[in-house]
Amino acid sequence: GHIMEVSLYVSSLPDDATAANLAEQFEPFGRLTQKVVLRKKAGLLFGFVNLWVESEEEVEKCIAALHNSLWRGQRMRVERAK
């Protein structure tokens, strides 16, 4: 299949989220192309996850599984980075 890189914007993260434990959430869905970047703005954590995926379908599957999923007591949001 054709391999492409997709960048995801992840927000509404729990306070104890780290680049490492966030990466673990995404590993079942594709290969991480770089370290997960976590940032804080106005006390809220958000991050960017870059994955190699083999199809659009894999991206959709990842978003469907993780968006609005409960993780460490918080419903995280996962969307394509603009």
Side-chain angles (χ1 to χ4, degrees):
H2 175 64
I3 295 191
M4 59 184 189
E5 185 175 8
V6 63
S7 183
L8 300 171
Y9 172 65
V10 190
S11 56
S12 184
L13 291 170
D15 288 338
D16 58 353
T18 63
N21 65 25
L22 185 57
E24 281 171 11
Q25 298 299 301
F26 287 86
E27 278 166 354
F29 301 99
R31 196 161 62 79
L32 275 74
T33 59
Q34 46 190 274
K35 201 163 156 46
V36 170
V37 178
L38 269 195
R39 299 215 175 95
K40 198 170 225 181
K41 190 176 179 181
L44 297 173
L45 278 175
F46 62 95
F48 293 93
V49 176
N50 291 285
L51 289 177
W52 285 120
V53 291
E54 284 185 14
S55 67
E56 195 57 41
E57 202 178 7
E58 286 187 6
V59 184
E60 299 302 327
K61 203 186 288 183
C62 173
I63 293 174
L66 296 178
H67 179 63
N68 267 330
S69 66
L70 199 57
W71 180 51
R72 295 174 177 259
Q74 187 85 12
R75 287 210 177 274
M76 69 172 166
R77 298 183 56 80
V78 180
E79 53 208 300
R80 283 171 180 275
K82 301 288 180 278

